[in-house]
Amino acid sequence: MRALVFTGPGVVEIREVAEPEVGDGEVLVHVVTSGICGSELHGVRTPGFRVPPLVMGHEFAGRTDDGTQVIVNPILSCGACDVCGMGLRNVCRKRQIVGVHRPGGFAERVAVPRRAITAPPVELDWTAAGIVEPAANAVHAWSLAGAPAGARVGVIGAGAIGLACLQVALSGGAAGIEVADHAESRRAIARGLGADAAVTELTGEYDVIFDAVGAAVTRERSLALLRPGGVAVWLGLAEAVAGFDAAGLVRGEKRVLGSFAYTDADFATAAGLVGGWDLSWVGTFPLLEGAAVFTTLMNGHSVPVKALLTP
């Protein structure tokens, strides 16, 4: 079968690979749509825990052998530790991720544990199905912030996660939402989705700020622009350095929350939301064009915001 394979630093290629072996407790998913994540672009540019050769792809949906539409939750936890027992299996110390630690959805078919698949509450079109995983990240971040209806919200970064945060905040009743991004094309998309303002840099004061970039400068801004007692939720992973004013955090009694992935409940909520979203910012491409699309995005092209590959 054909797959998009990460073969070395900065290189992805379409290759013929062996058919997946379906083990006990696993199911074969015929992939229909699989999203390219910013973490994968970074991981190919600067290899770390993604080790080539690897079929990546952790945002995907498809059908089982009997034709059932399924969405794959790629977080595989141990299910037995204290953290899993608290319902926080997304941060299980032993977690693995489909498309990182085992072959993922950039292929025609993939074997996954049966516990990783879920059928949406109603059958989704394939663009919406391919967006459930990134949307779940935004649902989780909104929940961590307290689902603050009536809040003044800032979003830093209008990539897929930032736009998902915007749409979740809109559905959650935020009083006003401003989005910051350096690309005018992405600012225009944010305005079209319902942002009250889309600017190069946030200004003013906010109750909640979502940092969907994760650079030292964006983390610093997310705290500097919070009202006293406000909360910054950090989703982005661009850099390891924080770079913020710790004294200002203390004196303003501000809070910083790290947000990684999602709970099972967040994933289910996202599956129920995305069918009603404007997804005009998502582009769909054949898997055979995947290497070119991936490389273009990896080299800084900002359109489309989210690319889905379709075997």
Side-chain angles (χ1 to χ4, degrees):
M1 69 172 182
R2 292 168 295 188
L4 179 66
V5 184
F6 168 31
T7 56
V11 181
V12 291
E13 304 174 69
I14 296 292
R15 287 190 171 183
E16 287 288 331
V17 300
E19 289 286 342
E21 296 182 6
V22 183
D24 291 341
E26 295 186 339
V27 63
L28 186 68
V29 175
H30 300 263
V31 180
V32 177
T33 185
S34 186
I36 297 174
C37 178
S39 67
E40 291 164 334
L41 302 175
H42 177 76
V44 170
R45 279 195 307 264
T46 311
F49 54 84
R50 289 177 174 86
V51 179
L54 174 67
V55 178
M56 299 185 299
H58 60 269
E59 307 174 356
F60 64 102
R63 293 195 184 277
T64 55
D65 285 338
D66 65 2
T68 301
Q69 183 184 56
V70 293
I71 303 159
V72 177
N73 182 333
I75 307 292
L76 307 179
S77 61
C78 75
C81 68
D82 57 335
V83 177
C84 287
M86 291 185 283
L88 302 175
R89 69 179 199 85
N90 55 309
V91 289
C92 171
R93 300 176 188 89
K94 297 179 180 179
R95 70 179 179 268
Q96 294 193 330
I97 302 174
V98 177
V100 176
H101 302 99
R102 56 183 289 163
F106 291 163
E108 294 178 298
R109 289 168 290 281
V110 59
V112 299
R114 187 173 297 278
R115 69 181 187 275
I117 65 170
T118 183
V122 295
E123 184 154 309
L124 299 170
D125 70 66
W126 289 109
T127 300
I131 294 300
V132 170
E133 198 278 346
N137 284 269
V139 169
H140 185 61
W142 181 250
S143 177
L144 287 176
R152 298 165 296 173
V153 174
V155 178
I156 302 176
I161 297 297
L163 293 178
C165 284
L166 164 63
Q167 289 180 283
V168 170
L170 285 168
S171 66
I177 310 170
E178 297 184 7
V179 178
D181 197 280
H182 290 299
E184 170 53 31
S185 59
R186 293 189 173 192
R187 295 197 298 271
I189 292 169
R191 292 186 201 103
L193 293 177
D196 295 284
V199 295
T200 304
E201 298 286 350
L202 295 180
T203 58
E205 191 174 71
Y206 303 87
D207 302 305
V208 178
I209 295 182
F210 298 102
D211 178 8
V213 177
V217 64
T218 59
R219 289 171 178 151
E220 186 278 330
R221 291 292 290 169
S222 73
L223 278 169
L225 298 176
L226 282 180
R227 65 159 172 81
V231 58
V233 183
W234 291 354
L235 301 88
L237 290 166
E239 297 176 4
V241 178
F244 63 91
D245 176 6
L249 180 149
V250 173
R251 293 190 178 102
E253 202 170 271
K254 300 175 181 181
R255 291 178 294 147
V256 175
L257 298 173
S259 181
F260 180 78
Y262 34 78
T263 66
D264 292 340
D266 298 324
F267 198 85
T269 297
L273 283 176
V274 293
W277 282 9
D278 176 349
L279 297 175
S280 56
W281 46 278
V282 181
T284 301
F285 304 88
L287 177 64
L288 292 179
E289 296 177 14
V293 173
F294 192 102
T295 302
T296 298
L297 292 171
M298 183 174 62
N299 291 335
H301 196 63
S302 61
V303 178
V305 176
K306 170 62 72 174
L308 301 181
L309 302 180
T310 59

